[in-house]
Amino acid sequence: MKKECAIVQDMLVLYEDDCLQEESRKMVEDHIAECQECRWVYEASEKMQDIQVQTQTESDLQIQKSASQIMKKIKRRTTLKAVIGIVLIVAVIIGGHVFCNHITDSEWGYSEMLYGIASGDVEVTQLYQLSGGDIYCILKSSKSIGIQSMTGLKDPAELSDQNEEQTLEYRMRGRTFWETVSEPEIKQSTIIFPVRLEGISEETKQEYTCYAKQVVFYGKTMSDKKVIWNEGQDIAKAPDEIEYRAIRAYLENGNVEKAYAECESLGWDSAKIIAEIGKQTSQGGMYEDAGVPILVNEK
């Protein structure tokens, strides 16, 4: 190999990278134009570079394609996990609510378990039988009372067992944290429970009479209960003050007929008593069903 060829071939790398000065660049170009051997070396070097670039480009494309496929798989898996997670959360919430409804036999669900007042936190402080037969009861709670729930006497034809003797149920839920701001604190509840109901069945069109055999307070679950009253239980007759409050409660709840009947059973002047109470309060008519327990205004 000529000395000049060796120098030019050593300079080819710098020439290809455009790192030579103008004079050296021109010398290399002139030599390649005249020397076939050096021209072959130069062309071979260019082809190798093209192959390397092409190989690198194809490799990059393959890497990008693989990376894209991996990201798609990760995205699909992440989306699937998120959907499964949401479904599981919803299932737990619904299942928990159904389970709570089952063990409490109440529509309050989670609220019953969290805020329901246990039977051990409730005390029966007064229990009377009114002249007309209804049960007048005062319950005190060690916790603040929020919502109260009661069941009343029903047409036996509407019940699965069609039983004329029925159990009245009563529940209290404690105040939630948002109710502590909007509602006054109450730790006592006065209720009048009906013990007898007469009517005409909408289903059978026949007359019926049903009775309350028991009044039960239920706490957080169906097994957490306190019996307030049993049929035939020996309890005190209501004093006149309690009778007067009961008649007022009947009128406030729209049950004028029952208010008159209570006055008559006491031998009181019904027209006078009802007129007197009517001046003190308005008859809102919240309940017209004589079989529904009545919450007595504590004021």
Side-chain angles (χ1 to χ4, degrees):
M1 182 186 292
K2 297 179 182 179
K3 183 177 181 180
E4 186 178 354
C5 290
I7 293 173
V8 168
Q9 290 179 20
D10 287 341
M11 295 174 65
L12 283 176
V13 176
L14 297 174
Y15 174 77
E16 290 169 353
D17 292 340
D18 198 19
C19 294
L20 296 176
Q21 294 184 0
E22 185 64 28
E23 291 181 0
S24 298
R25 182 179 182 81
K26 189 174 186 309
M27 184 194 76
V28 171
E29 290 176 347
D30 291 344
H31 181 82
I32 291 173
E34 295 176 357
C35 179
Q36 185 176 3
E37 182 181 350
C38 288
R39 186 165 60 251
W40 285 346
V41 172
Y42 171 68
E43 290 174 352
S45 175
E46 277 195 326
K47 288 180 179 178
M48 285 298 298
Q49 277 192 333
D50 291 341
I51 291 171
Q52 288 176 353
V53 171
Q54 183 178 2
T55 303
Q56 185 176 6
T57 302
E58 290 177 354
S59 178
D60 290 343
L61 289 173
Q62 184 64 33
I63 291 171
Q64 290 178 3
K65 183 177 180 181
S66 299
S68 176
Q69 291 175 344
I70 292 170
M71 290 303 296
K72 286 180 180 178
K73 288 181 180 179
I74 292 173
K75 188 174 181 181
R76 284 198 297 268
R77 289 177 182 176
T78 303
T79 303
L80 181 60
K81 287 181 179 178
V83 171
I84 293 173
I86 292 172
V87 170
L88 288 175
I89 290 172
V90 172
V92 168
I93 292 173
I94 295 175
H97 189 74
V98 171
F99 175 73
C100 289
N101 286 351
H102 174 69
I103 64 175
T104 62
D105 194 28
S106 165
E107 295 181 356
W108 289 350
Y110 283 118
S111 181
E112 178 84 355
M113 297 298 294
L114 291 173
Y115 299 104
I117 298 177
S119 62
D121 295 322
V122 174
E123 179 186 2
V124 181
T125 58
Q126 294 187 41
L127 187 65
Y128 298 108
Q129 188 151 34
L130 299 173
S131 179
D134 287 353
I135 303 300
Y136 184 100
C137 175
I138 296 180
L139 297 177
K140 283 191 176 180
S141 169
S142 60
K143 298 182 179 180
S144 298
I145 301 170
I147 297 174
Q148 301 177 64
S149 171
M150 296 160 287
T151 62
L153 294 173
K154 296 181 178 179
D155 172 4
E158 298 177 4
L159 304 176
S160 58
D161 56 5
Q162 297 187 351
N163 202 333
E164 294 179 352
E165 292 188 337
Q166 302 169 22
T167 296
L168 301 184
E169 300 175 6
Y170 175 58
R171 289 179 171 86
M172 293 191 295
R173 195 204 70 189
R175 290 198 302 173
T176 58
F177 67 90
W178 58 84
E179 289 173 335
T180 58
V181 178
S182 59
E183 301 293 337
E185 185 176 28
I186 299 174
K187 291 191 174 182
Q188 176 174 297
S189 182
T190 304
I191 318 101
I192 299 175
F193 294 99
V195 296
R196 187 170 184 269
L197 179 66
E198 296 178 346
I200 298 177
S201 173
E202 292 186 2
E203 293 190 19
T204 65
K205 308 304 179 184
Q206 302 292 322
E207 292 184 357
Y208 69 84
T209 302
C210 57
Y211 307 87
K213 65 176 181 180
Q214 193 177 59
V215 176
V216 178
F217 173 83
Y218 284 101
K220 292 180 177 292
T221 65
M222 289 298 288
S223 60
D224 176 23
K225 65 180 182 179
K226 182 191 292 289
V227 176
I228 297 174
W229 171 84
N230 276 312
E231 183 182 14
Q233 180 179 338
D234 186 17
I235 61 175
K237 293 188 178 298
D240 289 352
E241 178 186 354
I242 297 299
E243 290 283 6
Y244 191 88
R245 288 192 68 189
I247 293 169
R248 180 188 179 103
Y250 289 141
L251 290 174
E252 287 179 339
N253 286 271
N255 203 323
V256 180
E257 182 178 348
K258 206 160 192 178
Y260 270 103
E262 192 67 24
C263 288
E264 294 297 324
S265 66
L266 289 163
W268 291 359
D269 187 337
S270 56
K272 179 181 178 181
I273 296 295
I274 291 175
E276 180 183 299
I277 294 175
K279 292 178 182 178
Q280 303 170 12
T281 182
S282 60
Q283 298 177 14
M286 289 176 61
Y287 301 111
E288 296 182 356
D289 186 351
V292 177
I294 293 173
L295 286 174
V296 179
N297 191 339
E298 296 293 339
K299 296 181 180 179

